[in-house]
């Protein structure tokens, strides 16, 4: 710690130790950026470029992270490869201790982790939601299920048969810029699977990642007796780091978060180089509201579309509402949307995040309204206090548009693609008999090119069963539940189509970064008889009989 600077200071973490360099990325408190953008940018750049001494850092400079280079990455990969070989030999139940320790540390340090995320720009409500996901994702129910998947043993006569997940080796994780901390911490499951983990902390938001890894994952690994070098975290630019991972013979898997077009291409590059891509790409989630739904609760779920200004892949992106209840639902949704406001991240009620590409928002909204969609509410830019400001406002009003008819709805960008804005299209299908409408709606949902999460609000069990039978895409399906809420046992990530790429599915990283292996350990087996299935095990029992007895 340097006199005059009271923020966190993190170097490159590799080999179980930190190394500080000469180049740093400084984090200025997000609320200070909103209050005085130019002054905060001048302070940040002055510190980073050496024009200002460290003593010039104000209390709003909450931390700094050392910038690594290609040599640092190479050393981290070598250390990870060496540690991975030793960690893979450790029994799975001991490796699972890392997740249990991590879970306890999240409970203990939740407030501290939330404060760091808030300082970096996450509205407090959003940060609390992300921490809730960390806890749900690592609780006892989930841990026990994953442990059962990592190894299964069965005795069959003179053999012990095993199905086990074998770690892939060195896994590199590239978190997104919008939710760096929560997604970087998915790596705790990579470690539990028996792998080494190398995390790239984005230069745009590195502090929360380094802070969370140091406070949660490093001590969890130490308590589980993991070898040094098993975890590395480096703040490096994306393009050279990804290329170095692709080129390195030490890297086995790459977890990539990003847009679908770029991510699918990157996945193909991974496969071409013999590496396993684990893709977490865009989502375009659909929520269906049927005629017998609880409209108040359904409207609450749809309003989740505006968390973080819609800049989260797993929020609702489109609603399909039964025409019999469309007007009543839109009235409820409009009230909720108008009550959502921006604010400084520390404010208890703030839910919206700044939107950088407001020009693209206007373009997408304009295309929809020009094609006949009706603006229900929103559409303007706001300042941090919630006042209209079409010139300098960095927030966008929660916006709802009504699109009439399934036919042609997917021709609109607002329906077909993830817009990443606080912009929710509500599609009202043609007024058909329910026996025709339900298959049409289900087919519409299942035709979505993306496949992260889908939801249904309905009361009739027959409608629920038909929906679940028809919607095969998606890594997660919710019925009469919060669309973005986290639950034990169910995965938080993963999907099909443009969300997960070829082979995409619900993602438990401990399983996706391992591979299934069958093992047979014989005791007194006669190979010649075993080849032709003539062998008898035990007192004149056939293999089929013995299996039935187990």
């Amino acid at each position: 710690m340097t006199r005059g600077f009271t923020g966190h200071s993190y170097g490159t973490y590799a080999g179980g130790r930190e190394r500080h360099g000469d180049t740093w990325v400084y984090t200025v408190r997000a609320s200070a950026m909103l209050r005085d953008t130019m002054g905060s940018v001048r302070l940040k750049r002055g510190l980073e470029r050496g024009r200002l001494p460290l003593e010039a850092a104000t209390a709003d400079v909450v931390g700094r992270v050392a910038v690594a280079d290609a040599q640092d990455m190479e050393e981290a990969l070598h250390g990870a490869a060496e540690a991975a070989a030793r960690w893979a030999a450790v029994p799975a139940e001991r490796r699972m201790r890392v997740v249990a320790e991590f879970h306890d540390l999240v409970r203990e340090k939740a407030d501290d982790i939330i404060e760091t995320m808030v300082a970096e720009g996450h509205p407090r409500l959003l940060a609390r939601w992300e921490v809730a996901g960390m806890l749900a994702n690592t609780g006892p129910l989930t841990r026990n299920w994953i442990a059962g998947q990592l190894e299964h043993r069965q005795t069959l006569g003179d053999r012990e048969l095993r199905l086990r997940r074998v770690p892939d080796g060195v896994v590199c994780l590239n978190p997104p810029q919008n939710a760096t901390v929560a997604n970087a911490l998915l790596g705790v499951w990579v470690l539990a699977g028996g792998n080494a983990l190398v995390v790239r902390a984005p230069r745009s938001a590195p502090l929360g990642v380094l802070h969370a890894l140091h406070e949660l994952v490093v001590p969890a690994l130490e308590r589980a007796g993991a070898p040094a070098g098993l975890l590395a975290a480096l703040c490096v630019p994306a393009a050279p780091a990804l290329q170095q991972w692709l080129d390195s013979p030490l890297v086995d898997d790459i977890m990539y978060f990003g847009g679908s077009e770029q991510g699918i291409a990157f996945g193909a590059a991974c496969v071409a180089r013999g590496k396993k891509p684990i893709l977490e790409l865009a989502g375009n989630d659909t929520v269906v509201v049927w005629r017998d739904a609880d409209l108040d609760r359904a409207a609450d779920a749809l309003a989740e579309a505006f968390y973080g200004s819609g800049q989260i892949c797993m929020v609702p992106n489109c609603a399909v509402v039964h025409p019999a209840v469309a007007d009543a639902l839109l009235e409820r949704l409009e009230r909720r949307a108008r009550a959502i406001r921006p604010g400084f991240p520390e404010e208890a009620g703030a839910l919206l995040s700044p939107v950088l590409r407001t020009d693209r928002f206007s373009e997408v909204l304009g295309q929809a309204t020009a094609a006949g969609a009706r603006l229900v509410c929103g559409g303007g830019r706001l300042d941090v206090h919630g006042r209209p400001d079409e010139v300098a406002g960095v927030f966008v009003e929660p916006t709802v548009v009504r699109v009439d008819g399934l036919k042609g709805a997917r021709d609109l960008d607002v329906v077909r693609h993830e817009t990443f804005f606080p912009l929710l299209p509500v599609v009202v299908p043609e007024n058909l008999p329910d026996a025709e409408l339900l298959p049409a709606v289900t087919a519409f949902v299942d035709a979505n090119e993306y496949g992260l999460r889908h939801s249904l609000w309905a009361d009739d069990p027959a409608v629920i069963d038909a929906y679940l039978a028809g919607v095969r895409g998606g890594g997660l399906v919710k019925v009469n539940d919060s669309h973005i809420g986290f639950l034990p046992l169910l995965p938080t990530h993963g999907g099909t189509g443009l969300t997960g790429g070829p082979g995409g599915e619900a993602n438990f990283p401990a399983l996706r970064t391992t591979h299934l292996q069958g093992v047979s350990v014989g005791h007194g087996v006669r190979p010649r008889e075993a080849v032709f299935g003539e062998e008898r095990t035990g007192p004149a029992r056939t293999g089929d009989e013995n299996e039935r007895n187990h």
Side-chain angles (χ1 to χ4, degrees):
M1 190 70 67
T2 302
R3 184 171 57 85
F5 175 66
T6 58
H8 297 290
S9 187
Y10 295 111
T12 294
Y13 185 80
R17 61 187 179 88
E18 281 190 87
R19 292 196 304 275
H20 290 191
D22 297 326
T23 306
W24 297 86
V25 172
Y26 286 81
T27 299
V28 178
R29 190 177 299 278
S31 54
M33 283 284 211
L34 288 168
R35 281 193 301 268
D36 180 10
T37 302
M38 295 306 298
S40 296
V41 170
R42 281 195 298 270
L43 175 61
K44 174 179 168 65
R45 289 179 179 172
L47 291 168
E48 290 174 349
R49 296 174 183 178
R51 294 198 298 259
L52 293 175
L54 189 56
E55 289 75 12
T58 67
D60 285 324
V61 180
V62 294
R64 64 176 186 167
V65 173
V67 178
D69 58 22
Q71 182 59 39
D72 294 324
M73 180 65 76
E74 189 65 23
E75 292 176 8
L77 293 175
H78 276 278
E82 181 182 339
R86 287 182 284 152
W87 185 238
V90 172
E93 61 267 22
R94 182 176 145 200
R95 300 198 311 255
M96 195 59 69
R97 276 188 54 200
V98 174
V99 184
E101 297 288 357
F102 171 86
H103 181 85
D104 291 343
L105 284 163
V106 173
R107 284 197 177 280
E108 175 187 334
K109 300 186 177 185
D111 290 343
D112 177 50
I113 300 301
I114 288 171
E115 289 307 317
T116 303
M117 287 195 284
V118 168
E120 213 165 31
H122 283 232
R124 188 175 300 280
L125 285 173
L126 190 61
R128 285 178 53 198
W129 169 70
E130 291 180 79
V131 169
M134 297 175 202
L135 291 170
N137 182 238
T138 56
L141 188 62
T142 308
R143 295 199 304 267
N144 291 340
W145 188 82
I146 295 292
Q149 297 296 307
L150 290 177
E151 184 163 14
H152 174 76
R153 299 190 181 203
Q154 180 79 45
T155 300
L156 180 64
D158 294 331
R159 296 182 179 87
E160 181 186 62
L161 305 179
R162 305 177 191 174
L163 283 171
R164 65 181 187 178
R165 306 288 310 187
V166 179
D168 290 342
V170 175
V171 178
C172 295
L173 192 157
N174 180 64
Q177 297 186 44
N178 64 313
T180 53
V181 175
N183 289 294
L185 292 177
L186 283 176
V188 72
W189 283 112
V190 173
L191 296 164
N195 304 284
L197 176 67
V198 178
V199 179
R200 185 191 79 85
R203 287 195 61 158
S204 59
L207 183 63
V209 172
L210 268 296
H211 180 68
L213 291 174
H214 274 276
E215 294 297 319
L216 304 176
V217 182
V218 170
L221 287 169
E222 291 173 349
R223 294 178 187 182
L230 198 65
L231 170 68
L234 306 89
C235 176
V236 287
L242 293 173
Q243 189 61 53
Q244 190 169 358
W245 292 350
L246 285 173
D247 294 339
S248 175
L250 301 172
V251 175
D252 297 285
D253 300 354
I254 301 177
M255 288 188 69
Y256 177 92
F257 294 75
S260 291
E261 183 177 354
Q262 189 176 19
I264 296 293
F266 182 77
C270 287
V271 173
R273 289 164 172 79
K275 303 182 191 307
K276 181 194 291 185
I278 300 157
L279 304 177
E280 293 290 346
L281 309 177
N284 190 24
D285 297 6
T286 304
V287 179
V288 173
V289 182
W290 202 242
R291 67 156 67 239
D292 60 351
D294 183 319
L295 296 186
D296 286 318
R297 295 181 182 181
D300 287 341
L302 289 178
E304 292 171 351
F306 307 120
Y307 271 63
S309 291
Q311 297 174 119
I312 304 166
C313 60
M314 58 185 64
V315 299
N317 282 267
C318 176
V320 179
V321 181
H322 195 291
V325 296
D327 290 339
L329 180 72
L330 281 167
E331 181 182 339
R332 289 167 168 79
L333 180 58
E334 181 180 358
R335 287 201 303 268
R336 286 160 174 77
R338 292 190 184 280
I340 295 171
R341 62 179 183 82
F344 295 105
E346 294 86 354
E347 294 180 21
L351 192 59
L352 299 178
S353 301
V355 173
L356 297 179
R357 300 182 60 204
T358 53
D359 56 337
R360 176 58 181 161
F361 166 79
S362 300
E363 183 181 319
V364 171
L365 179 59
Q367 182 210 42
T369 54
R374 179 171 66 84
L375 181 65
V376 176
C377 63
R381 294 168 61 182
L382 306 171
D383 67 13
V384 70
H385 304 291
R387 298 174 301 217
D389 185 346
E390 295 299 329
V391 176
V394 295
F395 295 88
V396 170
E397 289 181 284
T399 302
V400 178
V401 295
R402 174 173 176 153
V403 178
D404 285 299
L406 293 176
K407 185 178 180 180
R410 288 216 192 277
D411 294 336
L412 303 178
D413 287 347
V414 70
V415 175
R416 183 172 182 178
H417 296 298
E418 177 189 50
T419 63
F420 235 51
F421 299 123
L423 173 57
L424 180 67
V426 176
V427 179
V428 181
E430 295 78 4
N431 201 354
L432 300 172
D434 285 0
E436 298 177 34
L437 184 59
L438 182 57
V441 168
T442 303
F444 180 85
V445 173
D446 207 45
N448 191 346
E449 297 172 279
Y450 302 79
L452 183 55
R453 297 182 174 202
H454 296 302
S455 286
L456 169 69
W457 284 86
D459 186 57
D460 187 344
V463 171
I464 295 172
D465 289 345
Y467 178 87
L468 292 177
V471 177
R472 292 168 294 174
L476 188 67
V477 180
K478 295 285 202 74
V479 177
N480 297 329
D481 203 346
S482 162
H483 188 83
I484 65 172
F486 299 105
L487 293 169
L489 188 61
L490 298 184
T492 60
H493 288 65
T496 55
L498 293 180
T499 294
E505 61 181 353
N507 183 3
F508 285 108
L511 305 183
R512 292 293 300 277
T513 59
T514 55
H515 52 277
L516 188 63
Q517 183 184 74
V519 177
S520 171
V521 179
H523 303 281
V525 173
R526 297 180 177 85
R528 190 181 306 175
E529 296 177 355
V531 167
F532 300 103
E534 298 171 351
E535 186 178 21
R536 294 293 180 266
T537 57
R541 291 188 305 191
T542 68
D544 286 346
E545 290 169 341
N546 193 44
E547 189 171 9
R548 282 196 296 271
N549 289 336
H550 283 78

